[in-house]
Amino acid sequence: MYFASDNSGPMHPAVAQAMIAADTGFQPSYGTDAIMDGVRAQIRELFEAPEAAVYLVATGTAANALALGTLTQPWETVFCTPLAHINVDECHAPEFYTGGAKLSLVGTGDKMTADQLRARIEDWERGDVHTSQRGPVQLTQVTEMGRIYTLEELRALTGVAREYGLPTFLDGARFANALVALGCSPADMTWKAGIDALSLGGTKNGCAGVEAVIFFDPKHAWEFELRRKRGAHLFSKHRYLSAQMQGYLDGGAWLEAARAANANAARLAAGLGDVAGLEFVEEPEANMIFATLPRHVHQRLHAAGAVYRLWGDLEGDPDAPQMMRLVCDWSITHEMIDQFVSLAKG
């Protein structure tokens, strides 16, 4: 019963097989391998973006920070939500890689609205040498609370950004989960919706450790290459990144894994729906569930070996509600889900 994080699951078999297949003979290094040529072509085709610049790094933090470093001047501010990973989970890596750019928080939670974004942008008076200048807008899809921006919401937000001449970067650590939930194309959820750059997540969805950074305007390509090298994120044996992404994309394994993860979360949410004392913090939309349960239920679950994120501790008022986060990946079994639900019901 392991629901702590989709970072914790195994590789998808298609990814593992691609890694094994790549582990023979010799390949050029630093991203000049033949596998990467195929990955680049495949991503361009999937996103209907034949001129897109495509690069791979090993971590989501590197993808976010290096992409924002490319889009942001040191004297600018990046507009993001308070719960954005770049604000609460990346140890100031974006500030470091942008050379000290500021983060300006929009809204109060995991999603922002177009009106909130406009008001926050207006807070920074353009041309005042004494203050930060307006910089990129950063969005997360799926959000840090498991919610999804609709295509209409994305277009409204990028529309505001364009009005002020600002680029929009999408943190897509769980991009595939959002894509299959919305039932749209990769192009629909990115450049057709006004997104300028994307981190396409693999690690949370069946890869060992790889993220793609995609710039839909190739003018950013050379600067990103230099920043990736200078930031110590250019892999020598790059073929092992390339192979992961190849296995992830070939045959639609990335979509298969995301559908399985979302379906697992839906099964888990449905089973928990009638547990006494349970309240969903947000309605589950992808592969993450945020809910509260009485402490005595958490005590029972933990005693049985369940693993998940819990806010607070297990000591205290047995009836006090405590929030939890449950995350499903592609590999979680129905047996694990049903056992957890049965224990929660007592």
Side-chain angles (χ1 to χ4, degrees):
M1 296 180 292
Y2 202 101
F3 301 98
S5 174
D6 40 9
N7 280 326
S8 304
M11 282 191 287
H12 190 281
V15 175
Q17 290 163 12
M19 290 278 281
I20 293 170
D23 191 33
T24 183
F26 298 87
Q27 285 276 356
S29 53
Y30 301 115
T32 60
D33 53 281
I35 304 171
M36 184 60 197
D37 291 339
V39 166
R40 189 180 299 108
Q42 189 165 13
I43 287 178
R44 287 171 172 170
E45 181 179 359
L46 283 170
F47 282 83
E48 305 169 45
E51 301 300 318
V54 180
Y55 300 101
L56 301 182
V57 294
T59 72
T61 296
N64 290 343
L66 288 168
L68 285 171
T70 304
L71 296 173
T72 314
Q73 294 292 336
W75 49 83
E76 291 179 337
T77 188
V78 178
F79 298 99
C80 65
T81 67
L83 294 185
H85 264 87
I86 65 169
N87 185 48
V88 299
D89 281 303
E90 295 183 345
C91 195
H92 291 201
E95 292 92 329
F96 179 80
Y97 280 95
T98 57
K102 184 182 178 68
L103 301 183
S104 290
L105 306 184
V106 183
T108 58
D110 61 318
K111 291 179 76 171
M112 65 174 77
T113 68
D115 287 342
Q116 288 171 334
L117 176 59
R118 187 188 305 278
R120 195 70 174 107
I121 292 173
E122 285 290 339
D123 285 344
W124 299 102
E125 185 177 348
R126 189 174 184 181
D128 183 351
V129 75
H130 301 287
T131 189
S132 299
Q133 303 303 297
R134 299 162 178 171
V137 175
Q138 185 270 338
L139 306 171
T140 309
Q141 181 82 316
V142 177
T143 76
E144 291 78 8
M145 290 295 292
R147 298 196 294 169
I148 295 173
Y149 284 104
T150 66
L151 297 183
E152 292 75 17
E153 288 172 327
L154 288 175
R155 287 193 287 263
L157 288 161
T158 62
V160 171
R162 282 196 303 274
E163 286 179 32
Y164 292 92
L166 308 178
T168 304
F169 169 70
L170 187 66
D171 176 350
R174 295 184 175 93
F175 183 89
N177 301 92
L179 190 71
V180 298
L182 289 178
C184 62
S185 73
D188 288 336
M189 207 165 74
T190 53
W191 65 267
K192 288 185 178 180
I195 301 297
D196 296 287
L198 164 73
S199 63
L200 172 62
T203 307
K204 295 182 187 297
N205 195 38
C207 293
V210 68
E211 317 285 311
V213 178
I214 304 169
F215 293 97
F216 296 104
D217 186 338
K219 72 180 183 182
H220 298 293
W222 180 234
E223 180 177 347
F224 183 85
E225 290 194 40
L226 294 171
R227 287 182 176 275
R228 181 176 59 165
K229 176 61 177 179
R230 183 174 182 265
H233 283 285
L234 176 59
F235 263 50
S236 174
K237 292 189 175 182
H238 190 283
R239 62 166 146 170
Y240 297 106
L241 295 183
S242 305
Q244 288 181 67
M245 190 58 67
Q246 178 191 54
Y248 185 57
L249 298 176
D250 276 357
W254 67 304
L255 301 178
E256 171 193 308
R259 290 191 187 99
N262 288 7
N264 286 337
R267 181 185 183 96
L268 181 57
L272 293 172
D274 58 355
V275 171
L278 182 136
E279 292 187 14
F280 290 111
V281 177
E282 301 288 355
E283 192 66 28
E285 296 182 6
N287 69 320
M288 290 192 287
I289 298 170
F290 290 82
T292 60
L293 277 172
R295 181 179 276 113
H296 68 86
V297 180
H298 290 298
Q299 291 169 339
R300 183 164 63 243
L301 288 164
H302 277 73
V307 181
Y308 55 92
R309 174 76 185 275
L310 178 66
W311 279 262
D313 56 54
L314 293 174
E315 300 300 324
D317 180 358
D319 296 320
Q322 290 181 289
M323 190 169 80
M324 63 181 177
R325 185 190 75 167
L326 307 171
V327 188
C328 295
D329 81 336
W330 66 274
S331 70
I332 288 172
T333 66
H334 287 179
E335 289 75 19
M336 291 168 64
I337 294 169
D338 295 345
Q339 182 185 6
F340 187 91
V341 169
S342 178
L343 284 164
K345 290 180 177 179

